[in-house]
Amino acid sequence: MSNETKIITKGFLFVLEGIDGSGKTCACKDLVKRLQDDGYDVVHLREPTKESQWGKEIRAKSPVGELTPEEELELYTRDREWHIANRIQPALEEGKVVLMDRYFFASGAYQSTVLDLHWKEILRRNREGISAPEPDIVFILDVPAEIGLERATGRTGKANLQFEKLDRLIKVRQNYLEMVENDSATFELIDAKNSLDQVVDEIYDIITDTIILNT
Ligand code: TYD
């Protein structure tokens, strides 16, 4: 561990994705702390945002079922467009390490389960429609749906209940696994049945190796 600020010449974008209860939010927080302790200039972002009018609308209405699937997809996309312009792109241009808790892969994995749209089409709309920057690595924290559901429902009223149903989570997980096989992004599949410390160690090593090799 060092307190010296590390200067890197380009920004990096790392994304953590996974079903509800996969542990990505806890893993993200631990990773941000470890990377900051190492002297990296880290920006921690999450979607949906708490900042844009669209993110706020999702957070208020989605958990109580007040949005149609179409409205939800539209709001996630508008929120992301705001996020890219105001937070993601500026941080990358300043050469920061951006660590995201969910990104457009979540729209593909989740919204395709309630809309007549394939995840490939949702990803395409994010890439072509709002020019979403491509991450350096997308980490998929993989757990069986039963484990995710157990962990998520053990928490107090946090997660989106609409999606905390087993059949939905099974499909969401399958979508993420299909992306790892078929999408053009760079993925790392992480076994998130392991302890949080193991998961964080594994991701930390991959992130730091990637930064060192590319600067
Ligand atoms: P999550 O990160 O699981 O929040 P928390 O840790 O507070 O439970 O995300 C909340 C929900 O948002 C989750 O059920 C997935 C959903 N979501 C989508 O359906 N599409 C998206 O594009 C994004 C970013 C999130």
Side-chain angles (χ1 to χ4, degrees):
M1 201 186 287
S2 102
N3 290 321
E4 267 171 54
T5 304
K6 289 199 169 55
I7 308 292
I8 56 176
T9 48
K10 73 178 214 57
F12 286 89
L13 180 57
F14 298 106
V15 177
L16 268 61
E17 292 274 4
I19 65 169
D20 294 304
S22 59
K24 63 180 177 41
T25 300
C26 293
C28 224
K29 285 185 190 150
D30 286 5
L31 283 160
V32 168
K33 184 160 186 328
R34 278 184 69 173
L35 291 164
Q36 281 172 341
D37 285 348
D38 277 353
Y40 290 107
D41 197 353
V42 184
V43 177
H44 181 192
L45 300 174
R46 65 180 306 175
E47 293 190 356
T49 73
K50 291 181 177 167
E51 294 183 275
S52 82
Q53 70 180 86
W54 303 282
K56 285 179 189 160
E57 193 173 341
I58 297 168
R59 285 176 179 274
K61 295 185 177 171
S62 180
V64 286
E66 282 179 11
L67 296 171
T68 65
E70 290 79 10
E71 287 169 335
E72 220 167 25
L73 179 63
E74 176 67 14
L75 286 174
Y76 278 118
T77 311
R78 294 283 79 81
D79 181 46
R80 184 163 302 122
E81 193 173 25
W82 179 92
H83 208 198
I84 292 165
N86 294 283
R87 297 287 176 266
I88 302 172
Q89 206 67 62
L92 291 174
E93 280 162 19
E94 286 168 21
K96 301 199 172 169
V97 176
V98 179
L99 201 57
M100 290 190 65
D101 183 345
R102 295 200 187 282
Y103 192 32
F104 63 82
F105 306 90
S107 291
Y110 281 83
Q111 271 64 64
S112 69
T113 66
V114 283
L115 286 165
D116 191 18
L117 276 178
H118 196 277
W119 59 258
K120 286 184 184 174
E121 173 58 15
I122 297 177
L123 266 48
R124 190 192 66 76
R125 290 185 188 186
N126 277 270
R127 288 178 168 129
E128 294 175 18
I130 57 168
S131 305
E134 216 48 62
D136 289 276
I137 301 179
V138 182
F139 295 93
I140 304 289
L141 275 62
D142 183 51
V143 286
E146 293 78 3
I147 296 182
L149 188 62
E150 229 174 71
R151 289 182 184 168
T153 48
R155 302 190 308 209
T156 45
K158 271 195 72 191
N160 181 342
L161 290 173
Q162 193 186 345
F163 288 112
E164 290 183 355
K165 300 212 176 92
L166 194 58
D167 56 345
R168 178 70 49 77
L169 284 187
I170 288 170
K171 186 74 185 87
V172 173
R173 180 191 187 202
Q174 189 187 325
N175 286 336
Y176 278 129
L177 293 175
E178 281 179 28
M179 285 179 208
V180 173
E181 291 301 317
N182 299 310
D183 184 59
S184 58
T186 304
F187 293 97
E188 290 281 351
L189 187 61
I190 305 292
D191 186 352
K193 291 196 299 307
N194 291 329
S195 72
L196 180 65
D197 282 349
Q198 274 173 291
V199 168
V200 169
D201 281 349
E202 195 178 336
I203 299 175
Y204 173 85
D205 287 346
I206 299 171
I207 287 181
T208 49
D209 283 353
T210 304
I211 296 174
I212 291 163
L213 277 173
N214 292 287
T215 45

